[in-house]
């Protein structure tokens, strides 16, 4: 069968220097569902953005039906018969389905938007491909599953022959996923080429005809789905070099640093997000918190780090209640925090590396005599830290916003780990940064532990949380669902069961999380 | 106590006068024009803070153009009107250039527009007329007042509704035009789409830059109309301080109506009541300064009430979303 779409030696380097795609080759045939697999950050979305004209390749060619294409905007891509369902929905919530579907190709009557015609176009397209959507409904009132269908219809109504779906099942329930697959197979059988991005391998296996694996911006290969097992794909995706065997002695925990007792947190809308949680973190241990996103970890960490208030229960840091402490108070009492969103909370992107590193220590008499700032001492120490933490930069005066993700995180880590600390809260400390930087951050965390700090680690990366944590708390539905005193014996599969709430531990076992 | 009795007395003296209602309708008109100017920009998420400045500049331009062609007798006010609309549209376009092409924060651009226009208008006035405060030395004239047939003969109602300046009627008609533009036309659909989710619009090939620029040009033109109202209807000359914050009051009304013309018109009429009162200071023993400050105080109170209201609404919406989320989570995860 002939290739309908070919992307040849495509390279994309973002402004911040990240090589997201490095001579990637990808091709798809007419009427196939072609999977692109790869870890988070492998460059899948980037490749598709170039196909959809949102980004332009620095090198390489895109060929459709034998013709060289120059896709400078989504409009060009739409004209070339490409449709894309983005990872984050591209919808206008207060508009109706029909308005959203026809946006960009609005039917008109003079200057007037022809609503009846729009509804008709939407209905016809839905009927043709077997989608059930009410064209008059407002998008904001729809469930996620239906919103996704609207996205697909949006692409189909423009007559697309290549449909890109970027992680479409990430937000769907199992039932919705099943329904989506039936519809995608119908679409394929009617001649549409579908590019399906996912890292859920069972789905790829079930739905797709071929699979291309991308790893760190490079094509690893393309296979007929019949010829590979899930384990094979997984091996191609991850390779063997991500070995999280972090050298680490057994922990020697001492007295409690952080004690959380019967903590209950309501969010702004008055809904209970953390429900009667008790645990403690001791000197010289790493306590991990695992859980599917949205099970109360966020709210709990915000309460502990002073970013939001809590309603019931108590949090004590070094024996002092933190309820009425401000952030400064928390920090003087020994809290340091690597926040999840490093660009928003972790650093000031428009300030220099030096300023960012010194920001929390500027009141220290060493750097500030009450009137003037001691530039020399600041320069000396920040240069030392840049070196020690391996921040890749021209010099300390470079703006943090110019650095790559991994180096931004190193700046944050350098600031926090050189601050006076008893408790170190690490919230997704390696999310989205390169392997080298991630490894470095992990090693420093173990080092901090060995120096006798208490470490609380939240991570969505299961391999990371299982290999770093000394003991592990699993949260589900705002409660602690499991506590593992020793993580070594725990399997990933078992952890999954507790995270999804399939299994529960007894109250007695969970109580072990609080050392008294 | 005395003050309260006096207030009640003033109110009872004023509300029986048909001219009071006439004044409400008239005072609300320039605010309404300003609010509509803000509305179309707000809907495109290109907040036009510069309406006050655009009004000031176009009010002056109208007077200058009108007097330079010979004033009332030569149809000067009409030419002034056209010139002011063009200048307003151009200033709106300038806002878009600075905000979207040169990427300066749009709020700052608006503030700069206000400062520059206020300063430049006084400077221009001084250079051209030798007077720093008003253009009374020029004879620029006013736009015509319109008597509506039939209605003008109805007692009381005729007095209230008929005989307004033509721009007053235009202002109220524009409420419907703007509703139509925003909610029925293709351009309106695109404006709302860009305003709410720029990425979504871009992803279907709509240029958000293009749409926002159009919205700001229309916004500027409406600001121009509002300015003309002040210098060729409300008064027959330009003076420094003529606009007196009406652009900002319009901005407040626009936000209270979330950019929806119908609600905006109601807010403007409500503000108009208090502007109306300040015209009857002579009937009252209350301080004229207090009466003049009244509309602004009311706007302030209105904005506070409005923001508390929207906050509560937003909370309710969040709660709604939360319960939806629960439904999804409660699906068996396996
Ligand atoms: N707009 C951008 N600017 C700079 N870097 C980016 C941008 N978008 C993505 N990246 C980086 O490019 C790499 C690939 O990202 P992406 O294509 O989104 O991966 P995937 O979709 O496979 O998870 C990541 O390291 C990411 O941080
Ligand atoms: Mg992606």
């Amino acid at each position: 069968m002939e290739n309908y779409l070919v992307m040849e030696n495509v390279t994309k380097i973002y402004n911040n220097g990240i090589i997201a795609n490095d001579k990637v080759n990808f091709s798809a045939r007419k009427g196939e569902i072609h999977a692109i697999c790869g870890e988070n950050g492998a460059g899948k979305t980037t490749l598709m953005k170039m196909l959809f004209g949102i980004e332009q390749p620095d090198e390489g060619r895109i060929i459709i039906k034998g013709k060289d294409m120059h896709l400078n905007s989504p409009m060009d891509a739409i004209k070339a018969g490409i449709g894309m369902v983005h990872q984050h929905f591209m919808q206008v919530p207060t508009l109706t389905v029909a308005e959203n579907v026809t946006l960009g190709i609005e039917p008109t009557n003079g200057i007037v938007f022809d609503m009846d015609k729009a509804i008709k176009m939407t209905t016809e397209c839905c009927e043709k491909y077997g989608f059930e959507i009410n064209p008059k409904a407002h998008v904001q009132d729809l469930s996620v599953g239906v919103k996704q269908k609207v996205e697909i219809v949006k692409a189909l109504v423009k007559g697309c022959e290549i449909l890109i779906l970027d992680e479409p099942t990430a937000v769907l329930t199992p039932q919705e996923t099943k329904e989506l697959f039936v519809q995608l197979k119908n679409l394929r059988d009617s001649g549409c080429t579908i590019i399906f991005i996912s890292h859920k391998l069972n789905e790829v296996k079930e739905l797709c005809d071929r699979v291309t694996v991308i790893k760190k911006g490079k094509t690893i290969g393309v296979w007929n789905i019949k010829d590979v097992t899930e384990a094979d794909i997984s091996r191609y995706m991850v390779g063997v070099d991500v070995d999280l065997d972090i050298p680490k002695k057994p922990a020697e925990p001492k007295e409690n640093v952080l004690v959380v007792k019967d903590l209950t947190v309501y969010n702004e809308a008055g809904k209970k997000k953390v429900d009667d949680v008790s645990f403690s973190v001791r000197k010289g241990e790493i306590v991990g918190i695992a859980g599917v996103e949205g099970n109360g970890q966020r709210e709990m960490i915000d309460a502990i780090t002073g970013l939001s208030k809590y309603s019931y229960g108590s949090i004590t840091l070094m024996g002092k209640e933190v309820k009425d402490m401000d952030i400064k108070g928390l920090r003087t009492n020994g809290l340091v925090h690597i926040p999840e969103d490093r660009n928003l909370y972790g650093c000031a992107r428009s300030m220099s590396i030096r300023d960012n590193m010194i920001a929390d220590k500027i009141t220290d008499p060493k750097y500030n005599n009450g009137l003037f700032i001691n530039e020399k001492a600041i320069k000396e120490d920040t240069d030392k830290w840049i070196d020690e933490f391996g921040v890749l930069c021209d010099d300390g005066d470079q703006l943090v916003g110019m650095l790559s993700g991994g180096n931004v995180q190193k700046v944050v880590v350098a600031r926090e780990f050189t601050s006076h600390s008893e408790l170190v809260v690490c919230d997704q400390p390696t999310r989205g940064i390169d392997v080298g930087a991630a490894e470095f951050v992990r090693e420093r965390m173990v080092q901090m532990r060995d120096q006798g700090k208490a470490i609380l680690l939240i991570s969505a990366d299961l391999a990371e949380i299982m290999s770093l944590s000394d003991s592990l708390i699993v949260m589900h539905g705002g409660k602690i669902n499991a506590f593992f005193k020793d993580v070594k014996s725990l399997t990933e599969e078992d952890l999954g069961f507790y995270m999804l709430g399939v299994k529960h531990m007894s109250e007695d076992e969970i109580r072990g999380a609080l050392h008294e | 106590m005395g003050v309260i009795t006096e207030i009640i007395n003033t109110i009872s003296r004023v509300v029986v006068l048909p001219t009071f209602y006439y004044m409400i309708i008239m005072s609300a008109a320039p605010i309404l024009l300003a609010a509509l100017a803000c509305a179309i920009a707000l809907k495109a998420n290109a907040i036009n803070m510069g309406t006050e400045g655009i009004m000031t500049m176009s009010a002056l331009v109208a007077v200058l153009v009108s007097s330079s062609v010979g004033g009332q007798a030569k149809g000067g006010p009409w030419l002034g009107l056209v010139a002011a609309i063009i200048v307003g549209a151009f200033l709106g376009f300038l806002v878009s250039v600075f905000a979207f092409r040169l990427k300066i924060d749009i709020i700052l651009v608006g503030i700069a527009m206000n400062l520059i226009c206020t300063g430049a208008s006084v400077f221009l006035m001084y250079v051209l007329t030798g007077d720093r405060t008003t253009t009374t030395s020029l004879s620029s004239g006013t736009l015509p007042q319109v008597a509506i047939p039939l209605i003008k003969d109805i007692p009381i109602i005729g007095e209230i509704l008929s005989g307004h300046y033509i721009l007053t009627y235009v202002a109220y008609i524009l409420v419907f035009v703007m509703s139509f533009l925003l909610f029925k036309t293709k351009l309106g659909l695109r404006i709302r789409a860009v305003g709410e989710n720029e990425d979504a619009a871009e992803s279907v090939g709509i240029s958000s830059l293009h749409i926002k620029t159009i919205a700001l040009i229309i916004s500027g033109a409406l600001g121009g109309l509002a300015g003309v109202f002040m210098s060729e209807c409300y008064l027959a000359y330009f003076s420094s301080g003529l606009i007196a914050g009406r652009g900002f009051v319009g901005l407040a009304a626009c936000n209270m109506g979330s950019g929806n013309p119908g609600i905006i018109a109601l807010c403007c009429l409500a503000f108009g009541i208090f502007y109306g009162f300040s015209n009857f200071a002579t009937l009252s023993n209350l301080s004229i300064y207090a009466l003049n400050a009244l509309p602004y105080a009311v706007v302030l109170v209105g904005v506070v009430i409005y923001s508390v209201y929207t906050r509560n609404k937003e909370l309710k919406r969040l709660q709604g979303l939360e319960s939806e989320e629960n439904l999804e989570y409660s699906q068996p995860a396996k």
Side-chain angles (χ1 to χ4, degrees):
Chain A
M1 246 189 295
E2 195 173 325
N3 279 331
Y4 188 77
L5 158 77
V6 180
M7 298 180 82
E8 206 177 80
N9 288 325
V10 174
T11 297
K12 174 73 197 176
I13 305 172
Y14 280 114
N15 293 336
N16 56 1
I18 290 184
I19 305 176
N21 281 178
D22 184 4
K23 295 209 169 59
V24 171
N25 285 295
F26 173 75
S27 61
R29 298 168 186 152
K30 191 162 178 60
E32 74 165 344
I33 303 185
H34 195 131
I36 300 182
C37 289
E39 278 194 300
N40 269 330
K44 310 177 294 285
T45 300
T46 304
L47 186 68
M48 291 304 115
K49 278 185 176 168
M50 285 187 285
L51 184 54
F52 196 58
I54 300 171
E55 302 281 356
Q56 280 68 47
D58 295 309
E59 255 175 60
R61 300 199 299 163
I62 299 175
I63 303 158
I64 297 173
K65 286 195 257 187
K67 267 208 311 239
D68 244 332
M69 303 301 291
H70 294 279
L71 306 168
N72 291 316
S73 72
M75 203 66 228
D76 292 346
I78 292 167
K79 280 194 195 122
I82 301 167
M84 178 157 179
V85 176
H86 297 263
Q87 206 163 351
H88 308 284
F89 295 154
M90 296 285 188
Q91 292 167 345
V92 187
T94 61
L95 298 187
T96 62
V97 170
E99 285 169 326
N100 266 287
V101 166
T102 55
L103 194 65
I105 51 161
E106 303 90 340
T108 52
N109 208 337
I111 58 160
V112 180
F113 174 71
D114 191 340
M115 189 65 174
D116 292 335
K117 183 92 184 295
I119 291 176
K120 198 162 146 252
M121 283 163 73
T122 311
T123 320
E124 273 170 9
C125 186
C126 286
E127 274 168 10
K128 183 166 163 200
Y129 297 104
F131 292 94
E132 262 178 50
I133 312 172
N134 172 10
K136 288 181 199 157
H138 289 266
V139 164
Q140 62 190 4
D141 302 329
L142 302 177
S143 71
V144 185
V146 182
K147 277 185 188 156
Q148 175 124 58
K149 288 182 199 161
V150 173
E151 283 291 287
I152 297 175
V153 172
K154 243 172 86 181
L156 293 175
V157 85
K158 297 182 181 83
C160 79
E161 294 169 330
I162 301 173
L163 179 62
I164 306 165
L165 296 140
D166 196 353
E167 303 201 24
T169 61
V171 289
L172 299 187
T173 62
Q175 290 86 334
E176 287 170 331
T177 304
K178 206 174 279 169
E179 211 184 315
L180 173 71
F181 283 6
V182 173
Q183 281 155 343
L184 290 182
K185 283 176 182 163
N186 285 341
L187 265 178
R188 169 190 61 190
D189 297 340
S190 70
C192 194
T193 302
I194 297 172
I195 303 173
F196 182 84
I197 298 180
S198 178
H199 40 211
K200 295 187 188 164
L201 301 182
N202 54 343
E203 292 179 353
V204 169
K205 194 74 184 148
E206 183 191 331
L207 177 72
C208 302
D209 303 304
R210 291 198 300 162
V211 53
T212 294
V213 174
I214 295 182
K215 184 173 124 192
K216 288 184 205 146
K218 292 198 168 81
T219 320
I220 299 300
V222 47
W223 292 271
N224 283 322
I225 210 81
K226 291 192 296 290
D227 306 337
V228 282
T229 63
E230 282 176 38
D232 289 334
I233 305 176
S234 158
R235 225 171 310 118
Y236 299 136
M237 272 169 65
V238 182
V240 284
D241 55 334
V242 179
D243 181 7
L244 280 192
D245 226 4
I246 299 152
K248 176 176 115 177
K249 301 190 298 265
E252 292 165 15
K254 306 209 169 57
E255 70 272 22
N256 275 335
V257 172
L258 173 77
V259 180
V260 175
K261 228 175 188 170
D262 310 326
L263 179 71
T264 298
V265 180
Y266 289 86
N267 69 359
E268 245 197 10
K271 188 173 171 263
K272 200 190 263 183
K273 297 301 273 190
V274 179
D275 188 0
D276 204 14
V277 164
S278 301
F279 68 95
S280 63
V281 187
R282 293 168 294 175
K283 274 190 178 180
E285 71 171 349
I286 300 180
V287 175
I289 295 180
V292 176
E293 227 162 274
N295 277 283
Q297 309 95 304
R298 168 91 287 108
E299 289 78 7
M300 186 173 83
I301 295 307
D302 283 354
I304 292 174
T305 53
L307 292 179
S308 70
K309 294 285 161 209
Y310 53 97
S311 333
Y312 302 104
S314 74
I315 300 175
T316 51
L317 178 63
M318 300 301 286
K320 281 190 212 133
E321 173 67 47
V322 306
K323 189 159 195 154
D324 296 317
M325 282 188 203
D326 54 10
I327 305 274
K328 181 108 199 278
L330 280 164
R331 292 189 81 102
T332 7
N333 278 291
L335 171 89
V336 300
H337 179 202
I338 297 175
E340 178 187 22
D341 189 337
R342 57 178 159 270
N343 292 325
L344 196 59
Y345 297 108
C347 66
R349 288 180 70 80
S350 57
M351 287 169 74
S352 69
I353 298 174
R354 238 189 266 302
D355 292 348
N356 268 284
M357 280 184 172
I358 212 75
D360 63 321
K361 312 175 184 76
I362 195 67
T363 46
D364 186 330
K366 182 174 174 198
Y367 305 117
N368 179 345
N369 65 12
L371 191 58
F372 293 109
I373 286 168
N374 185 346
E375 299 266 3
K376 188 155 161 278
I378 292 178
K379 185 165 182 331
E380 243 163 48
D381 282 357
T382 50
D383 280 346
K384 193 178 80 201
W385 295 329
I386 288 172
D387 202 41
E388 187 186 334
F389 286 83
V391 181
L392 278 184
C393 59
D394 299 339
D395 63 27
D397 294 321
Q398 205 174 353
L399 299 187
V400 165
M402 310 295 288
L403 301 178
S404 72
N407 281 302
V408 173
Q409 189 70 334
K410 283 182 186 170
V411 172
V412 178
V413 170
R415 181 187 63 229
E416 297 300 312
F417 283 14
T418 52
S419 206
H420 150 75
S421 65
E422 302 290 347
L423 174 70
V424 184
V425 177
C426 300
D427 197 352
Q428 315 287 0
T430 64
R431 179 179 273 182
I433 66 177
D434 59 284
V435 178
E439 208 169 291
F440 176 83
V441 171
R442 292 183 190 123
E443 276 166 17
R444 295 295 303 214
M445 279 162 63
V446 175
Q447 213 175 319
M448 292 291 276
R449 179 201 74 166
D450 292 343
Q451 289 166 14
K453 316 279 185 200
I455 298 185
L456 184 60
L457 167 70
I458 304 92
S459 177
D461 180 344
L462 293 191
E464 170 174 280
I465 203 144
M466 289 177 70
S467 54
L468 269 181
S469 308
D470 298 312
S471 57
L472 184 62
I473 289 168
V474 182
M475 287 194 70
H476 181 258
K479 286 180 187 298
I480 294 182
N481 191 30
F483 171 69
F484 302 96
K485 202 175 280 168
D486 187 12
V487 181
K488 282 202 198 68
S489 52
L490 178 65
T491 65
E492 207 158 307
E493 192 185 5
D494 231 19
L495 178 56
F497 286 149
Y498 285 107
M499 283 171 60
L500 292 170
V502 180
K503 280 185 169 182
H504 301 274
M505 273 192 183
S506 73
E507 294 259 332
D508 260 355
E509 288 170 288
I510 290 169
R511 215 165 287 143
L514 180 64
H515 310 273
E516 290 185 285
Chain B
M1 264 301 119
V3 176
I4 292 176
T5 346
E6 189 49 47
I7 291 176
I8 293 170
N9 279 342
T10 311
I11 292 176
S12 59
R13 254 173 262 149
V14 169
V15 291
V16 294
L17 303 170
T19 41
F20 171 58
Y21 299 97
Y22 178 94
M23 286 313 289
I24 292 177
I25 290 174
M26 159 147 168
S27 319
I31 304 168
L32 183 54
L33 287 167
L36 291 175
C38 298
I40 190 165
L42 179 74
K43 282 289 184 194
N45 192 22
I47 293 162
N48 187 1
M49 284 277 291
T51 307
E52 177 90 7
I54 293 176
M55 283 171 75
T56 310
M57 196 41 106
S58 36
L60 175 66
V61 166
V63 166
L64 293 177
V65 169
S66 170
S67 68
S68 71
V69 298
Q72 194 82 43
K74 297 271 169 56
W78 290 105
L79 263 178
L81 172 73
V82 173
I85 292 174
I86 293 173
V87 166
F90 175 71
L91 292 178
F93 174 69
L94 270 192
V95 172
S96 83
V97 169
F98 281 104
F100 305 128
R101 278 170 228 265
L102 304 178
K103 310 247 185 267
I104 301 167
D105 187 293
I106 193 162
I107 303 288
L108 296 184
V109 175
I111 293 171
M113 180 61 76
N114 292 335
L115 292 175
I116 292 169
C117 287
T118 314
S121 62
V122 173
F123 176 73
L124 257 180
M125 177 164 60
Y126 178 64
V127 169
L128 296 176
T129 70
D131 191 333
R132 284 191 186 82
T133 48
T134 69
T135 61
T136 36
S137 60
L138 306 173
S139 55
S140 52
T142 60
L143 289 163
Q145 286 169 307
V146 182
I148 309 175
L150 297 180
I151 288 184
K152 76 174 192 305
D153 301 325
I154 308 174
I156 302 178
I157 305 245
E159 250 181 281
I160 295 173
L161 294 183
S162 180
H164 283 281
Y165 285 99
I166 187 156
L167 276 193
T168 309
Y169 297 114
V170 168
Y172 291 96
I173 292 169
L174 277 177
V175 173
F176 298 98
V177 174
M178 183 62 80
S179 282
F180 179 79
L181 173 70
L182 283 175
F183 297 105
K184 295 285 180 222
T185 66
K186 172 173 151 182
L187 177 64
L189 181 70
R190 289 189 168 197
I191 286 178
R192 286 181 293 140
V194 166
E196 216 178 299
N197 187 345
E198 206 171 315
D199 290 338
E202 292 272 356
S203 79
V204 291
I206 295 173
S207 157
S208 64
L209 175 73
H210 195 80
I211 298 291
K212 284 174 162 179
T213 304
I214 293 177
L216 279 173
I217 289 175
I218 298 177
S219 170
L222 287 167
L225 263 186
V228 176
F229 188 100
M230 293 309 294
S231 66
E232 291 192 344
C233 299
Y234 192 80
L235 295 178
Y237 54 86
F238 176 83
S239 69
S240 62
L242 170 68
I243 309 301
R246 283 179 173 80
F248 290 115
V249 174
L251 186 62
C254 163
N255 283 314
M256 291 165 81
S258 307
N260 294 321
I263 308 172
I264 289 177
L266 293 180
C267 294
C268 290
L269 279 171
F271 292 154
I273 294 174
F274 297 92
Y275 276 102
F277 262 114
S278 55
N279 284 302
F280 293 91
T282 43
L283 291 185
S284 165
N285 297 325
L286 291 170
S287 148
I288 183 162
Y289 298 107
L291 279 177
N292 280 339
L294 192 60
Y296 304 98
V298 169
V299 170
L300 190 64
V301 172
V303 169
V304 169
I305 293 174
Y306 167 75
S307 56
V308 170
Y309 166 76
T310 37
R311 200 186 123 77
N312 287 342
K313 211 164 87 177
E314 182 64 17
L315 277 185
K316 286 233 177 66
R317 197 184 65 84
L318 273 181
Q319 275 160 355
L321 280 186
E322 291 276 335
S323 47
E324 228 172 73
E325 246 171 54
N326 281 352
L327 282 181
E328 277 153 30
Y329 275 124
S330 59
Q331 305 251 2
K334 182 75 217 282

